[in-house]
Amino acid sequence: MSQAIGILELTSIAKGMETGDAMLKSSSVDLLVSKTICPGKFLLMLGGDVGAVQQAIMTGTTLAGEMLVDSLVLPNIHASILPAISGLNSVEQRSAVGVVETWSVAACISAADRAVKAANVTLVRVHMAFGIGGKCYMMVAGDVSDVENAVTVASECAGEKGLLVYRSVLPRPHEAMWRQMVEG
């Protein structure tokens, strides 16, 4: 079976905990993230076989009702996604950088997955809604043309749900900006 992740964002913390419990009881999935995010939202991220994740997310979206902000099932997740969420993927040499900013974590992770599958780029990080007003952003690095392609694909993906905030490509970032972006 293919591996997948599922994400649910809710406007209520208590409803998020209740929903997460029901999702875990509905299907054989692993709880990857269960936490509050800005501004007072609750994030659930599950992993497992595609069918199990789909069942859990279906249960969660039904239970969340009007408190649902966004949801996602991402089958066949790219190998760079989870490391980029939990930290940084290393970049060997200074190159162009692309940034895509979204209104939800689910939209950003989906956009990041599509971007790295569409272009020869390194997914540097996915910064999830902690201290940034509930927004999320992803950064890719590589040759300018690849970064432009990745940013276009990611922006179109986030734009499909109306959740794109802004996109940017820095062809030759200043050394100080480069260090800040890729070294944290």
Side-chain angles (χ1 to χ4, degrees):
M1 278 280 190
S2 298
Q3 289 297 299
I5 63 167
I7 298 173
L8 230 61
E9 283 177 71
L10 295 95
T11 58
S12 167
I13 296 162
K15 186 67 167 180
M17 291 177 186
E18 176 186 333
T19 301
D21 184 61
M23 291 167 66
L24 291 167
K25 290 175 179 173
S26 76
S27 188
S28 180
V29 292
D30 297 317
L31 181 61
L32 303 176
V33 175
S34 173
K35 61 177 22 176
T36 58
I37 58 175
C38 295
K41 295 191 298 183
F42 197 80
L43 176 70
L44 293 158
M45 186 183 308
L46 308 170
D49 292 337
V50 174
V53 170
Q54 288 172 331
Q55 173 60 46
I57 294 297
M58 186 172 63
T59 298
T61 53
T62 300
L63 187 57
E66 68 209 27
M67 294 184 179
L68 181 68
V69 173
D70 200 3
S71 67
L72 164 72
V73 173
L74 190 55
N76 305 314
I77 186 171
H78 191 275
S80 67
I81 300 293
L82 291 178
I85 291 170
S86 59
L88 294 170
N89 286 316
S90 64
V91 180
E92 298 302 317
Q93 63 184 11
R94 198 162 122 202
S95 56
V97 173
V99 182
V100 176
E101 181 182 0
T102 66
W103 286 111
S104 82
V105 171
C108 191
I109 291 174
S110 179
D113 187 66
R114 282 201 205 168
V116 295
K117 289 176 177 174
N120 184 23
V121 294
T122 299
L123 179 60
V124 179
R125 79 170 59 192
V126 175
H127 185 87
M128 300 189 315
F130 305 114
I132 56 174
K135 295 189 283 183
C136 186
Y137 71 90
M138 55 156 278
M139 289 190 331
V140 294
D143 292 336
V144 174
S145 60
D146 288 323
V147 168
E148 287 173 345
N149 183 40
V151 167
T152 297
V153 168
S155 298
E156 289 171 356
C157 178
E160 289 170 3
K161 289 185 171 181
L163 295 172
L164 177 67
V165 175
Y166 195 75
R167 60 181 262 170
S168 181
V169 173
L170 291 77
R172 291 173 303 285
H174 186 279
E175 179 66 31
M177 283 302 295
W178 171 259
R179 281 192 310 274
Q180 182 68 31
M181 290 185 291
V182 303
E183 296 172 10

